Amino acid sequence: MFVYAAAGQWDEVRQQRRLAADKDGNSPQFQMMMDHLVFGKLDAAVDAAERGVRAREPLFSWRFISCDLLFDPLKQRPRYLELLKALGARPCAPDLRWPVRPPA
């Protein structure tokens, strides 16, 4: 979804969103967090991250969610920083190039 969003192909983003929602995986809250990130819903993304960590979803590795550039928009959210702290992680410095903004 991020690649299509960066290219401005929002119809394809929405199609990928529907496809992801139709599939069960081992980290549904992670998928939900990514979906919210693409659409700039940062509080909802943090909600999904908190649920995913509580559920011990495998994709919520502190190494991944603390340093990946995709999560930079969340690094300014106190609840996300508290989540990282609870996991024993420190966030890497944000690059501030994300998120890609959906059209109005």
Side-chain angles (χ1 to χ4, degrees), residues 61-67 74-75 78-92:
S61 161
W62 68 265
R63 289 178 184 97
F64 181 57
I65 67 171
S66 63
C67 288
L74 301 180
K75 294 173 187 173
R79 285 179 33 226
Y80 190 75
L81 296 175
E82 286 297 318
L83 179 66
L84 293 179
K85 184 178 176 183
L87 291 171
R90 286 186 352 186
C92 296

Side-chain angles (χ1 to χ4, degrees), residues 9 12 15-16 18 26 35-36 38 41 48 61 65 67 86-87 103:
Q9 297 177 3
E12 188 63 36
Q15 174 64 19
Q16 293 301 315
R18 285 189 291 275
N26 63 356
D35 180 89
H36 292 312
V38 169
K41 299 178 180 177
S61 161
I65 67 171
C67 288
L87 291 171

Side-chain angles (χ1 to χ4, degrees), residues 26-43:
N26 63 356
S27 293
Q29 293 302 320
F30 185 86
Q31 180 61 41
M32 198 169 248
M33 179 184 69
M34 298 300 283
D35 180 89
H36 292 312
L37 272 172
V38 169
F39 286 92
K41 299 178 180 177
L42 302 183
D43 288 331

